[in-house]
Amino acid sequence: MDEIIACLEQKVLLLTKIWNLTKQIEVRCMEPEVELDQLLELRGIYIERVNKCNSLIQKLTKNFPAEQQEHLTRIFRQDLSDDQCNSNEERKILKLTRDCAEILQKAGALDKAARETLNKQCMELKEKINQFRKEEKDYTLYRNIK
């Protein structure tokens, strides 16, 4: 159980870093020149680490008896209340699982807002390009060639 708790604590830290990077991404999306490469790359690295934590947790729980696995699954899904947990360790796991879900929800909302901002900027640029093309009816790639 201690290893599962350590994994979940690590997961909370990683998700917090992802959330903070997502905040930075959202802010940068408001700037005239959007450069996200490093932020997206770093966020991807943290996401890979979160996935490794999830894999390790799955590996650790496979060693438990079926009944305990089912109980832990219910904790991870947050189907149980604090009172339904059998130990302080289980309550800690439930709290960390809730923390992870909360951070993921916040990061997801910010990510959605950033994507919408980028899509809006993209559509505005397409509009400008199309408007320019309409105004330049005689324009060809070869008009400067004599």
Side-chain angles (χ1 to χ4, degrees), residues 47-101:
I47 290 170
E48 286 177 25
R49 291 182 185 170
V50 167
N51 291 336
K52 287 181 182 179
C53 287
N54 290 338
S55 295
L56 183 55
I57 290 168
Q58 280 184 327
K59 183 180 174 184
L60 291 169
T61 57
K62 282 184 180 180
N63 296 328
F64 293 144
E67 186 177 300
Q68 191 176 9
Q69 284 182 25
E70 176 60 32
H71 187 69
L72 278 172
T73 299
R74 292 184 68 209
I75 292 172
F76 292 137
R77 283 187 282 173
Q78 302 170 51
D79 291 344
L80 302 178
S81 66
D82 288 340
D83 296 338
Q84 294 172 306
C85 293
N86 298 328
S87 66
N88 286 336
E89 291 172 324
E90 286 184 1
R91 281 185 276 287
K92 177 80 171 172
I93 290 170
L94 180 60
K95 182 200 177 305
L96 291 167
T97 301
R98 287 177 179 155
D99 292 347
C100 288

